[in-house]
Amino acid sequence: MNNSIILGIESSCDDTSAAVIRGNKILSNIAANQEIHNDYGGVVPELASRAHQQNIIPVVEKSVSQANIQQKDISAVGFTRGPGLLGSLLVGTSFAKSLAMSLGVPLIEVNHLQAHILAHFIEDANIMPPKFPFLCLTVSGGHTMIVLVKDYFDMEIIGRTTDDAAGEAFDKIGKIFGLDYPAGPIIDKLAKNGNENSFQFNKPRLENYDYSFSGIKTSVLYFIQKEIKKNPDFIRENIDDLCASVQRSIVEILMDKLEKASKDLNINEVAIAGGVSANSALRAAMQSNAEKLGWKIYIPKFEYTTDNAAMIAMVAQLKFQRGEFADLSVSATARYDIEESFKKP
Ligand code: KG4
Ligand code: ZN
């Protein structure tokens, strides 16, 4: 039984997070969210790095104390190497390096996207992990892709967005509606009171398993501009129906390709991961396919959907067991494909 204790650090975007894992069990998962970006309608990279700088020590200290361990119990330090905002990643990377060096333990680099997917292997009494091979729809603010997961360290991206990510579509359309950033969770909430069939928006027609979300964004923008000319209060009067209709369209686009992939590859183990996997309509669509198509579905616990260090600690634990350590000269990288992270240096 593996009982190694690993500290994970995540700082790829606007959440500073630290988590402690023992074996595959999370002992603590602390995050400091940066509310400062809400006023700007999106993440401001300069402000994000500065806030990480302020948050990282208190967040790590809290994760260690809440896990009820001492620093000397830590066997390795894992950190997000990429993808993400470079300035943000550099804060976590530098901090992880210094800590690993001062504790005299190995340093482990983690690919953020692989971590979203492998969050499904965090031990939980009530949830079984997926069986290989499975499909994972990985949907966040920066990425949207269907990944064929053959093993922990053998994954193939079979479809990806050709323009915006699904979370980005939620956030940009929310901005058109005048909603705060990030708009995804707000649209989800308002949609609960709306009629999802009120409005129809353009859907992309792309080959294979690729996605596109810029078309729906433009379609919403033109529609709103046209309606506002007739009625300046159009958004306010219809916000719930607008949110429900947009959410239905995005979820349909996501599910169409996922269903096609599952059918073509004959894989019924289907997971979702990433920030948008928190969306209640997407979760409901997965549930419905479990009943309709016999899918075995895997939906992450809410706290492991948006960016968190628990998932980083999980991958670091798997790499620790394999003895895959990073050199202290390792550097953060803004672009970092999942497939690239499996290449041996
Ligand atoms: O994975 P994540 O925390 O960060 C990235 O790696 O990008 O994902 C953040 C994204 C944002 O675009 C946010 O609007 C979206 O996830 N999101 C949601 C929901 N919760 C978060 N989108 C739709 N419905 C939600 N409930
Ligand atoms: Zn993420």
Side-chain angles (χ1 to χ4, degrees), residues 59-137:
V59 163
V60 168
E61 276 182 344
K62 199 165 167 196
S63 76
V64 169
S65 73
Q66 210 179 81
N68 221 353
I69 59 155
Q70 313 213 313
Q71 282 194 5
K72 66 172 174 43
D73 301 326
I74 296 172
S75 296
V77 177
F79 70 99
T80 306
R81 183 177 167 216
L85 299 170
L86 191 61
S88 290
L89 290 163
L90 284 171
V91 178
T93 305
S94 305
F95 184 83
K97 280 188 190 186
S98 319
L99 186 63
M101 210 167 95
S102 70
L103 295 175
V105 297
L107 179 70
I108 299 173
E109 57 118 327
V110 174
N111 179 300
H112 179 89
L113 297 168
Q114 185 189 11
H116 269 302
I117 296 169
L118 295 184
H120 284 287
F121 293 89
I122 291 171
E123 200 178 304
D124 188 295
N126 306 312
I127 305 175
M128 289 296 286
K131 290 188 203 73
F132 301 115
F134 66 93
L135 290 172
C136 187
L137 173 69

Side-chain angles (χ1 to χ4, degrees), residues 80-308:
T80 306
R81 183 177 167 216
L85 299 170
L86 191 61
S88 290
L89 290 163
L90 284 171
V91 178
T93 305
S94 305
F95 184 83
K97 280 188 190 186
S98 319
L99 186 63
M101 210 167 95
S102 70
L103 295 175
V105 297
L107 179 70
I108 299 173
E109 57 118 327
V110 174
N111 179 300
H112 179 89
L113 297 168
Q114 185 189 11
H116 269 302
I117 296 169
L118 295 184
H120 284 287
F121 293 89
I122 291 171
E123 200 178 304
D124 188 295
N126 306 312
I127 305 175
M128 289 296 286
K131 290 188 203 73
F132 301 115
F134 66 93
L135 290 172
C136 187
L137 173 69
T138 310
V139 263
S140 70
H143 299 269
T144 294
M145 53 201 187
I146 299 179
V147 184
L148 170 59
V149 188
K150 299 174 214 167
D151 205 340
Y152 299 115
F153 296 91
D154 186 3
M155 304 183 185
E156 191 185 329
I157 300 170
I158 59 167
R160 62 171 89 217
T161 183
T162 52
D163 41 54
D164 291 349
E168 206 176 348
F170 271 111
D171 297 338
K172 286 181 175 170
I173 293 171
K175 202 170 176 180
I176 299 173
F177 295 162
L179 302 176
D180 280 348
Y181 174 86
I186 306 173
I187 291 180
D188 192 352
K189 199 163 152 226
L190 296 174
K192 290 191 175 33
N193 308 315
N195 176 353
E196 61 174 22
N197 295 312
S198 303
F199 308 106
Q200 304 297 326
F201 303 110
N202 278 356
K203 282 221 238 150
R205 283 194 192 84
L206 281 184
E207 290 298 304
N208 46 55
Y209 312 117
D210 284 341
Y211 287 112
S212 167
F213 290 97
S214 65
I216 175 170
K217 181 189 63 193
T218 317
S219 160
V220 171
L221 180 66
Y222 290 164
F223 173 71
I224 292 291
Q225 284 172 343
K226 196 177 83 205
E227 293 299 324
I228 280 184
K229 275 195 193 130
K230 293 186 263 173
N231 171 13
D233 278 339
F234 180 78
I235 295 180
R236 198 177 50 77
E237 286 171 12
N238 294 282
I239 188 69
D240 295 344
D241 289 345
L242 283 167
C243 287
S245 301
V246 161
Q247 180 169 275
R248 176 186 53 79
S249 302
I250 294 178
V251 169
E252 270 177 20
I253 296 171
L254 289 171
M255 293 305 287
D256 280 356
K257 296 288 175 145
L258 191 57
E259 283 165 23
K260 180 172 154 56
S262 150
K263 198 162 155 242
D264 293 352
L265 301 175
N266 197 18
I267 294 179
N268 274 344
E269 298 267 320
V270 189
I272 52 175
V276 182
S277 68
N279 184 266
S280 56
L282 181 62
R283 289 173 170 232
M286 289 288 289
Q287 199 64 52
S288 137
N289 276 3
E291 286 149 29
K292 228 170 51 201
L293 305 174
W295 282 7
K296 284 207 71 183
I297 57 165
Y298 302 92
I299 296 175
K301 266 179 120 171
F302 196 74
E303 62 259 43
Y304 306 141
T305 55
T306 46
D307 290 347
N308 65 87

